[in-house]
């Protein structure tokens, strides 16, 4: 439901083509979202937020990056998820494989935590409302 009580009308996801093993998709490839799980150490409560802002400034203008958000867990004020949205999986993979990727994201790496053994996840959008 929307804030005014109306039921939202489903909106189909962008047309999607198959994605090959190397991450290349066609021109209609759907958007991709990347989730990075982090936690601020008790001795550095603002560390994740500081690293997020630094990285976000450095990533401004990155081809294919549509934006990102820092989400704080409601049940654990030290737990965060960084969600970035990319115009396609191919755009994300291209940036990820580039030389600047590791250096740009280094400030957040030490705060990553791995729920279920994975400190991050890459997802394609398959439906949108």
């Amino acid at each position: 439901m929307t804030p005014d009580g109306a039921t939202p009308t489903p909106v189909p996801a962008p047309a999607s083509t198959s994605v090959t093993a190397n991450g290349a998709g066609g021109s209609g490839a759907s958007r991709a979202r990347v989730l990075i799980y982090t936690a601020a150490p008790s001795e550095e409560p603002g560390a994740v937020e500081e690293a997020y802002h630094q990285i976000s400034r450095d990533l401004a203008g990155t081809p294919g990056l549509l934006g990102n958000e820092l989400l704080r867990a409601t049940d654990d004020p030290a737990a965060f998820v960084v969600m970035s949205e990319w115009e396609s999986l191919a755009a994300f993979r291209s940036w990820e494989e580039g030389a600047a990727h590791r250096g740009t994201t280094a400030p957040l790496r030490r705060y990553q935590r791995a729920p279920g053994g994975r400190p991050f996840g890459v997802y394609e959008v398959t439906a949108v409302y």
Side-chain angles (χ1 to χ4, degrees), residues 10-120:
V11 177
S16 180
T17 60
S18 61
V19 176
T20 62
N22 68 3
S27 61
S30 66
R31 291 182 179 179
R33 297 213 173 111
V34 178
L35 305 175
I36 300 171
Y37 308 102
T38 64
S42 59
E43 64 277 4
E44 299 178 77
V48 169
E49 291 158 297
E50 185 177 317
Y52 167 79
H53 290 296
Q54 178 184 344
I55 293 167
S56 294
R57 286 188 297 271
D58 292 345
L59 290 178
T62 297
L65 178 62
L66 301 175
N68 64 67
E69 298 176 343
L70 180 63
L71 311 172
R72 183 190 306 264
T74 59
D75 62 345
D76 180 355
F80 295 88
V81 175
V82 176
M83 191 279 301
S84 61
E85 184 172 14
W86 295 81
E87 62 187 30
S88 68
L89 183 58
F92 168 71
R93 295 284 187 220
S94 178
W95 170 78
E96 182 184 41
E97 293 167 2
H101 165 246
R102 296 208 53 87
T104 303
T105 59
L108 196 58
R109 200 163 293 116
R110 67 184 236 172
Y111 304 113
Q112 287 184 338
R113 68 175 187 178
R118 292 180 22 178
F120 67 93

